[in-house]
Amino acid sequence: MGLIVQKYGGSSVADATCLFRVANRIKSYYDKGDSLVVVVSAQGDTTDDLLEKAAEINKNPSKREMDVLLSSGEQISMSLLAMALEKLGCPVISLTGWQAGISTSARHSNARIGSIQTDRILRELDQKRIVIVAGFQGIDRYDDITTLGRGGSDTSAVALAAALHADKCQIYTDVKGVYTADPRIVPDAAKLEDISYDEMLELSSLGANVLHNRSVEVGKKFNVKMEVLSSFVDEPGTEVKEVSKVEKMIVRGVARDNEVARISLKDVGDVPGKAFTVFSILAQKNINVDIILQSLGRDGKRDISFTVSESALDAALQVLEENRDVIGAAEVLHDSDVSKVSIVGAGMVSNPGVAANMFEALYNANINIKMISTSEIKVSVLVARNEGDAAVRAIHEKFNLSNI
Amino acid sequence: MGLIVQKYGGSSVADATCLFRVANRIKSYYDKGDSLVVVVSAQGDTTDDLLEKAAEINKNPSKREMDVLLSSGEQISMSLLAMALEKLGCPVISLTGWQAGISTSARHSNARIGSIQTDRILRELDQKRIVIVAGFQGIDRYDDITTLGRGGSDTSAVALAAALHADKCQIYTDVKGVYTADPRIVPDAAKLEDISYDEMLELSSLGANVLHNRSVEVGKKFNVKMEVLSSFVDEPGTEVKEVSKVEKMIVRGVARDNEVARISLKDVGDVPGKAFTVFSILAQKNINVDIILQSLGRDGKRDISFTVSESALDAALQVLEENRDVIGAAEVLHDSDVSKVSIVGAGMVSNPGVAANMFEALYNANINIKMISTSEIKVSVLVARNEGDAAVRAIHEKFNLSNI
């Protein structure tokens, strides 16, 4: 018996069948005596449908009104889930973001949770009610509805778990947990029993697509015991916690991210402050830069290459073009036909030669490396996009990840 | 220049075309310098779609959760209308019921507006913003979302107009105003220039289907200048106000209501308190009784007949059956094949013979009268349902209502 926060994504509450599957799972915990706070996303296609409605009216609406519109999606799914639980005879109440006391910053469409007033939720739990909370939303200090941006419901769940000092935060999704690689690329990828916050952070930002980064950051900050598991089957998932107990594994997983593009500035003046100039110009436009590679100077010139997300490529090229004089590059090249492949594992720090093994795997598979970036717990390489999957498979096999 | 509250119903905001028609109308007032508070219903079929979704899950959900679900409908329409106004370059903000400060009783699905905290709306109006408010909804003292029941958006609009001391409350709908009879029954029915609150109250409760009763009650109580008009054309509608200036008209309109059924209790004991017993039993089940007719006693027995709404018939029969011993009727008969036809007009009080003229019209049309009920400003008769339309036409012609 304990306090459990569960989160169900859009595909888990897509229709009546899914809702009852979820409701029965919630009931099984409730019947065991657990206190439950359940965070839901909007049903399957609801968000897309609402976006389409908006696009018919105004291609560029204010973010405030978009938040009002989109937040109705969770209001629908939470009340339907409550009705399913009522049908099963469970005492239940659904709460919107503001009713659940979720206060956020005023940055519409991408707000951050500031604090959670848990009074109402605790009062409902005291009355032995299952509490359903709308994910993805809150209110700002003006009492305006905000949304948390992509993956926001995960963050809602983990933040609630932290505020309520929950025993566990279960993130239910349509995959069974965190794998050593995307099973669609590597069919014999193995499900990890557990993973540390830091490793998970690297994996999710590297395109593993299981948990949103911000939720893991919040989980790490407040030491929330998280678990990623499937709402469609009844088996343990992957625990995300401070320290993984499987210390023997050096590499925990291989991730691939195709949503990436490379930009190269040729023959930039080899003078101090040049890199600062380039990246502060990009930062002003909120363009995140990932791997950065700077060539050695030659004849007073050097090249600077870096990656951005593919969706930010056009904006990046535009701002670089606008500031061409300041940057002073002979040429701005770009290549979106690339894939970023990364290995992640806390064990790497104390195991020299991991990167070398990765490069060897790629060499044996005849895959050319375009860029390299390393940190304490990851090594990323940029390869041609059509070689990305082969790179993942080669690395996965090299580290024998199917047999963990 | 003044403060105008406008209300647009579901058919007026059904799709992008409708929304821009409405937005352009709002803009035309705004451009003239008026301050605007606009109340919207859910789009066309949204409410039905949501009800269908709920029915798939639970045929008998709690009213609280149903209110959470249904209130999302106005949240969608209000944000879309705001986006349309943004597109037209108007400063605008949409507010849910709770954001607009609408406090209601805690009676879910049929809550009453208690008070309106107008601070937020006034602040937005001060900033020259058009304020869109979700109709039909509010919050109770527990911060739970409530809905106002059928026709609730009309009530939201009139209550807001009262609280804001608006100069006018315009109710936009899909008809051009209040007519002397339903134009689908009487093609040459005339549009009334104005009508008094009392007359409107009788007409709307009699099935004229233009304004909801509660909105007119609120309008009368706070003397709100109301106007019923079409959102599809650009012409004056019908004003609803304290005293109609067209004193010469005796009868203002003919209404027909098919949502009615008659129940007869045969041979009830002719003792004091019997009627009280019967109607208090019905009142306990929230069943409203309309026309009541009690026969003269004969051999210590008498008959009691009354009408209820057709949708309440089954519940009424059931509670009467359960209390058969207390009521002591020999037989309980019922007839739902009836139609209630009524004439309404403040002039009737001082014009004897109006009822007689109505009965003469029905006699000439060979229509049998099953029950009669009169008040100061109306006369209602119950006729066979298949004769209802003919009755309306005969009466409309008798009083020459096409030529007002």
Side-chain angles (χ1 to χ4, degrees):
Chain A
M1 297 207 307
L3 171 54
I4 302 178
V5 174
Q6 299 186 333
K7 179 260 171 175
Y8 293 94
S11 58
S12 299
V13 295
D15 56 28
T17 310
C18 290
L19 281 165
F20 274 107
R21 187 186 296 122
V22 166
N24 275 304
R25 182 184 301 275
I26 295 168
K27 183 179 190 306
S28 72
Y29 279 90
Y30 181 79
D31 288 346
K32 276 188 291 184
D34 287 318
S35 296
L36 285 148
V37 174
V38 179
V39 175
V40 287
S41 300
Q43 289 186 293
D45 302 328
T46 307
T47 305
D48 288 341
D49 291 348
L50 291 173
L51 286 171
E52 206 175 288
K53 265 178 185 280
E56 261 183 75
I57 305 277
N58 190 336
K59 301 275 182 227
N60 194 23
S62 68
K63 287 179 174 175
R64 183 200 181 272
E65 296 301 334
M66 192 54 110
D67 280 358
V68 174
L69 180 68
L70 293 184
S71 63
S72 68
E74 285 79 31
Q75 197 168 322
I76 293 172
S77 59
M78 75 184 202
S79 54
L80 292 176
L81 180 55
M83 290 176 191
L85 281 158
E86 286 175 352
K87 179 83 176 176
L88 300 181
C90 298
V92 60
I93 190 157
S94 72
L95 302 175
T96 60
W98 64 269
Q99 288 175 322
I102 299 174
S103 297
T104 74
S105 66
R107 189 168 165 193
H108 287 289
S109 88
N110 203 17
R112 304 284 147 150
I113 295 177
S115 64
I116 301 182
Q117 290 294 328
T118 53
D119 322 30
R120 174 77 193 257
I121 293 177
L122 292 174
R123 216 156 56 229
E124 301 295 346
L125 290 175
D126 282 348
Q127 299 194 46
K128 301 285 169 215
R129 291 195 179 123
I130 296 165
V131 181
I132 316 284
V133 177
F136 182 67
Q137 59 179 256
I139 48 166
D140 63 18
R141 64 182 179 281
Y142 308 108
D143 273 1
D144 281 339
I145 297 170
T146 53
T147 68
L148 307 180
R150 271 202 64 189
S153 291
D154 289 353
T155 309
S156 303
V158 180
L160 277 167
L164 294 164
H165 305 288
D167 297 289
K168 195 189 273 197
C169 180
Q170 298 180 319
I171 309 284
Y172 286 92
T173 173
D174 48 8
V175 296
K176 292 181 185 176
V178 182
Y179 281 76
T180 51
D182 186 334
R184 286 167 298 187
I185 301 174
V186 183
D188 62 350
K191 187 174 75 183
L192 294 166
E193 196 177 314
D194 56 23
I195 190 168
S196 72
Y197 297 118
D198 287 335
E199 289 170 331
M200 190 68 231
L201 274 173
E202 292 289 2
L203 275 176
S204 53
S205 68
L206 295 175
N209 264 336
V210 180
L211 278 180
H212 199 262
N213 248 6
R214 283 164 56 199
S215 66
V216 184
E217 283 164 11
V218 175
K220 178 178 155 78
K221 186 168 172 188
F222 296 99
N223 201 15
V224 176
K225 194 175 160 194
M226 297 167 67
E227 185 180 5
V228 178
L229 64 182
S230 165
S231 69
F232 296 91
V233 298
D234 209 9
E235 54 184 74
T238 300
E239 291 193 349
V240 188
K241 46 195 185 181
E242 192 49 50
V243 180
S244 160
K245 64 187 178 194
V246 192
E247 284 294 342
K248 67 181 192 318
M249 273 187 75
I250 297 168
V251 174
R252 308 302 305 276
V254 189
R256 186 213 62 187
D257 187 2
N258 280 347
E259 220 284 279
V260 65
R262 179 175 61 165
I263 296 175
S264 298
L265 307 176
K266 292 272 284 185
D267 289 343
V268 175
D270 187 7
V271 291
K274 206 45 127 177
F276 168 74
T277 306
V278 171
F279 297 116
S280 65
I281 285 169
L282 290 166
Q284 277 163 25
K285 295 281 174 185
N286 271 318
I287 296 167
N288 279 325
V289 170
D290 185 22
I291 306 176
I292 298 174
L293 193 139
Q294 187 173 282
S295 70
L296 292 173
R298 187 167 41 88
D299 301 334
K301 299 279 180 188
R302 61 185 180 187
D303 304 336
I304 298 178
S305 296
F306 53 89
T307 59
V308 296
S309 70
E310 194 174 8
S311 60
L313 178 61
D314 289 346
L317 291 174
Q318 194 191 327
V319 67
L320 290 170
E321 182 59 38
E322 285 164 12
N323 292 276
R324 193 149 195 165
D325 292 349
V326 188
I327 297 166
E331 232 178 325
V332 178
L333 305 172
H334 63 95
D335 179 5
S336 59
D337 201 23
V338 291
S339 189
K340 184 172 67 169
V341 175
S342 312
I343 54 174
V344 169
M348 278 193 248
V349 188
S350 48
N351 283 277
V354 173
N357 278 339
M358 181 188 189
F359 303 154
E360 188 186 357
L362 294 172
Y363 171 74
N364 288 337
N366 205 22
I367 293 168
N368 188 35
I369 299 171
K370 294 166 180 258
M371 283 174 96
I372 297 172
S373 159
T374 60
S375 80
E376 288 199 339
I377 64 165
K378 75 158 187 187
V379 181
S380 298
V381 298
L382 211 65
V383 301
R385 190 166 293 178
N386 62 6
E387 293 179 328
D389 289 0
V392 171
R393 281 189 289 266
I395 297 164
H396 198 269
E397 199 185 340
K398 179 79 181 174
F399 290 100
N400 197 21
L401 293 177
S402 304
N403 305 304
I404 57 170
Chain B
M1 296 208 307
L3 171 54
I4 301 178
V5 175
Q6 299 186 333
K7 179 259 171 176
Y8 293 95
S11 58
S12 300
V13 295
D15 56 27
T17 310
C18 290
L19 281 165
F20 274 108
R21 186 185 297 122
V22 165
N24 276 304
R25 182 185 299 277
I26 295 167
K27 183 179 192 301
S28 73
Y29 279 90
Y30 181 79
D31 288 346
K32 276 188 292 183
D34 288 317
S35 296
L36 284 149
V37 174
V38 179
V39 175
V40 287
S41 301
Q43 288 186 293
D45 300 328
T46 307
T47 305
D48 287 341
D49 291 348
L50 292 172
L51 286 172
E52 205 176 289
K53 265 177 185 280
E56 260 184 76
I57 306 277
N58 190 336
K59 301 274 183 227
N60 194 23
S62 68
K63 288 180 173 174
R64 183 200 182 274
E65 295 302 332
M66 193 53 108
D67 280 357
V68 174
L69 180 68
L70 293 185
S71 62
S72 68
E74 285 78 30
Q75 199 168 321
I76 294 172
S77 59
M78 76 183 202
S79 53
L80 293 176
L81 179 56
M83 290 176 191
L85 281 159
E86 285 174 352
K87 181 83 177 175
L88 300 181
C90 298
V92 61
I93 190 157
S94 73
L95 301 175
T96 60
W98 64 270
Q99 289 175 322
I102 299 175
S103 297
T104 74
S105 66
R107 189 168 164 192
H108 286 289
S109 87
N110 202 17
R112 304 283 147 147
I113 295 178
S115 63
I116 302 182
Q117 291 293 329
T118 53
D119 322 28
R120 174 77 193 257
I121 293 177
L122 291 174
R123 214 157 56 230
E124 301 295 348
L125 290 176
D126 281 348
Q127 297 195 48
K128 300 285 169 217
R129 290 196 179 123
I130 295 165
V131 181
I132 316 284
V133 177
F136 182 66
Q137 61 178 255
I139 48 165
D140 64 18
R141 63 182 178 282
Y142 308 107
D143 273 0
D144 281 339
I145 297 171
T146 53
T147 67
L148 306 180
R150 273 202 62 192
S153 291
D154 288 354
T155 310
S156 303
V158 180
L160 278 166
L164 294 163
H165 305 288
D167 296 290
K168 195 189 272 196
C169 180
Q170 298 180 319
I171 310 283
Y172 286 91
T173 174
D174 48 8
V175 295
K176 291 181 185 174
V178 182
Y179 281 76
T180 52
D182 186 336
R184 285 167 299 187
I185 302 174
V186 182
D188 61 349
K191 188 174 74 183
L192 294 165
E193 196 177 312
D194 56 24
I195 189 167
S196 73
Y197 296 118
D198 288 333
E199 290 169 332
M200 190 68 233
L201 273 174
E202 291 290 0
L203 275 175
S204 53
S205 67
L206 296 175
N209 265 336
V210 180
L211 277 180
H212 199 264
N213 246 6
R214 284 163 56 198
S215 66
V216 184
E217 282 164 13
V218 175
K220 178 178 156 77
K221 186 169 172 187
F222 296 99
N223 201 13
V224 176
K225 195 174 158 194
M226 296 166 69
E227 186 180 5
V228 179
L229 62 181
S230 166
S231 69
F232 296 90
V233 297
D234 209 9
E235 53 185 75
T238 300
E239 291 195 348
V240 188
K241 46 193 186 183
E242 191 50 49
V243 180
S244 161
K245 64 186 178 194
V246 193
E247 284 293 343
K248 66 181 196 312
M249 273 186 77
I250 298 168
V251 174
R252 308 303 304 275
V254 189
R256 186 213 60 186
D257 186 2
N258 281 346
E259 221 284 280
V260 65
R262 178 175 61 165
I263 295 175
S264 298
L265 308 176
K266 292 272 284 183
D267 289 344
V268 175
D270 187 6
V271 291
K274 203 45 120 180
F276 168 74
T277 306
V278 171
F279 297 114
S280 66
I281 285 168
L282 292 165
Q284 276 165 26
K285 294 283 174 184
N286 272 319
I287 296 166
N288 280 325
V289 170
D290 185 20
I291 306 178
I292 298 174
L293 192 140
Q294 188 172 285
S295 69
L296 291 174
R298 187 166 41 87
D299 302 334
K301 300 279 181 188
R302 62 185 180 188
D303 304 336
I304 299 178
S305 295
F306 53 88
T307 59
V308 296
S309 71
E310 195 173 7
S311 60
L313 178 62
D314 289 346
L317 291 174
Q318 194 191 328
V319 67
L320 291 170
E321 183 59 38
E322 284 164 14
N323 291 279
R324 192 148 195 164
D325 293 347
V326 188
I327 297 166
E331 232 180 324
V332 178
L333 305 173
H334 63 93
D335 179 6
S336 59
D337 201 22
V338 291
S339 188
K340 184 172 68 172
V341 176
S342 313
I343 54 174
V344 170
M348 278 192 249
V349 188
S350 48
N351 283 275
V354 172
N357 277 340
M358 180 189 189
F359 302 155
E360 189 188 354
L362 295 172
Y363 170 74
N364 288 338
N366 205 23
I367 293 168
N368 188 36
I369 299 172
K370 293 165 182 257
M371 283 173 97
I372 297 172
S373 160
T374 61
S375 80
E376 286 199 341
I377 65 165
K378 75 156 185 187
V379 181
S380 298
V381 297
L382 211 65
V383 300
R385 189 166 293 178
N386 63 6
E387 293 179 330
D389 289 1
V392 171
R393 281 189 288 265
I395 297 164
H396 198 269
E397 200 184 339
K398 179 78 182 174
F399 289 100
N400 197 22
L401 293 176
S402 303
N403 303 305
I404 57 169

